[in-house]
Amino acid sequence: MPELPEVETVRRNLDRLLVGATIVDVRFGDFTGSIANPAPQIFADEVRGRRFTRTGRRGKYLLLQLDSGNVIAIHLRMTGDLHIAGADEPWGKHLHLALRLDDGRELRFADVRKFGRIWLFTPPELEDLNERIGPEPLDPEFTVEQFHERLRTRSRAIKALLLEQSFLAGVGNIYADEALFAAKIHPLRAASSLTPDEADLLLVAIRTAFQRAIERGGTTIRNYRNVLGEAGGNQYFLQIYTLAEGDPCPRCGTPISRIVVAQRGTRFCATCQPLEAQA
């Protein structure tokens, strides 16, 4: 599933390729369930004739601002794919939506698993989304003191908590495992047990993992591609996520362990990431 770096990569692509273009027509495939709200025909009527003015991102949501003041919000979920194509290019089997632009291109949304969703938000609805999502890890105004304060009152396992978008925006399975490994924190540690120093290490690890992944165009494990159809390059630099159970830890050589946390496969090193907090 695309996480913050992948969505940010797509946003940066679209900021360059989409801003200033006007939607002149809307086409739907056989499956219209990707349009979560409003009804597909109302969505089409509201966006037709509107110009893209800027792009944004909130957690894993891609936000495309229109000159009407409304925002097209897209969550790619597991296999959602946004790409720019010529209007005369063949209509793919899993293509669900195409926004025809005034220069003859189309912004197309395809989704093999059909879990991705698209909304047209009014400003109040966008504000409601903002309030439901936690702080942005890359926001320089989000401090380690604020992060530790949020951790201090939570008894959940730290890996499970990091996956909660209402706690912290944009973290998914890949970057949670990578950040916890870098910070030497066991995924089952109670969040409230982390010291201020450990909170600092973890927030730095999350930010570093995100920033490096964005620089490399995101992580492609299976389906993720950018708007131009290109795979990311960060998968070649992952420390632990792509390792199999029993593979040697890249730091100390201990066989890697695998457990399930919050219904997600989770890899860690029992030596580097002890379950008990270090004195």
Side-chain angles (χ1 to χ4, degrees):
M1 179 185 295
E3 302 179 31
L4 186 153
E6 290 71 52
V7 179
E8 177 62 17
T9 298
V10 170
R11 186 203 68 77
R12 293 183 182 190
N13 291 161
L14 292 178
D15 196 63
R16 178 170 55 88
L17 297 171
L18 195 64
V19 171
T22 296
I23 302 168
V24 297
D25 200 8
V26 180
R27 293 197 291 165
F28 296 106
D30 294 335
F31 177 73
T32 59
S34 298
I35 307 298
N37 192 60
Q41 192 54 55
I42 296 175
F43 174 91
D45 291 342
E46 290 291 328
V47 304
R48 193 178 288 112
R50 295 302 181 181
R51 180 171 52 86
F52 291 104
T53 59
R54 62 184 176 88
T55 65
R57 179 193 52 75
R58 186 69 173 95
K60 300 178 186 178
Y61 288 83
L62 177 67
L63 305 175
L64 306 178
Q65 180 78 49
L66 302 176
D67 61 359
S68 62
N70 293 337
V71 173
I72 298 174
I74 303 169
H75 199 303
L76 299 173
R77 301 218 169 127
M78 293 185 69
T79 58
D81 171 70
L82 276 174
H83 59 280
I84 298 287
D88 57 348
E89 292 185 31
W91 189 270
K93 179 180 179 181
H94 302 291
L95 186 57
H96 306 312
L97 173 70
L99 302 180
R100 176 80 62 88
L101 307 177
D102 56 349
D103 60 5
R105 298 176 301 155
E106 289 186 344
L107 177 63
R108 294 183 170 185
F109 177 76
D111 190 359
V112 175
R113 299 289 295 275
K114 300 180 179 179
F115 292 151
R117 290 293 181 267
I118 301 172
W119 298 260
L120 183 64
F121 284 147
T122 62
E125 289 169 333
L126 182 61
E127 183 58 33
D128 180 64
L129 175 69
N130 278 325
E131 291 177 357
R132 290 188 281 110
I133 300 177
E136 291 283 337
L138 295 180
D139 183 350
E141 295 186 4
F142 181 55
T143 67
V144 67
E145 290 79 15
Q146 292 170 331
F147 184 50
H148 183 251
E149 183 61 25
R150 294 175 70 82
L151 292 169
R152 191 178 62 81
T153 59
R154 311 295 181 99
S155 60
R156 292 197 70 188
I158 183 60
K159 165 73 182 281
L161 186 61
L162 289 177
L163 298 178
E164 285 188 12
Q165 298 305 293
S166 60
F167 174 77
L168 194 65
V171 182
N173 206 35
I174 296 173
Y175 299 103
D177 278 4
E178 291 292 305
L180 289 168
F181 177 72
K184 299 184 178 181
I185 296 170
H186 194 288
L188 292 179
R189 282 271 305 276
S192 57
S193 74
L194 269 63
T195 67
D197 286 345
E198 288 176 317
D200 191 4
L201 288 171
L202 181 55
L203 185 56
V204 168
I206 293 170
R207 286 173 164 165
T208 299
F210 278 173
Q211 289 163 344
R212 289 177 177 172
I214 291 168
E215 291 168 1
R216 296 165 180 154
T219 299
T220 297
I221 301 297
R222 295 183 183 88
N223 303 101
Y224 164 72
R225 296 291 187 277
N226 68 16
V227 171
L228 301 177
E230 302 164 338
N234 191 59
Q235 60 273 14
Y236 303 112
F237 298 89
L238 297 177
Q239 290 294 295
I240 196 166
Y241 182 79
T242 53
L243 297 182
E245 185 174 18
D247 284 347
C249 168
R251 193 156 48 204
C252 73
T254 298
I256 292 297
S257 300
R258 185 185 186 280
I259 57 176
V260 175
V261 179
Q263 300 180 324
R264 302 293 183 88
T266 300
R267 299 159 183 82
F268 67 97
C269 172
T271 299
C272 294
Q273 300 167 261
L275 183 56
E276 298 299 324
Q278 299 296 292

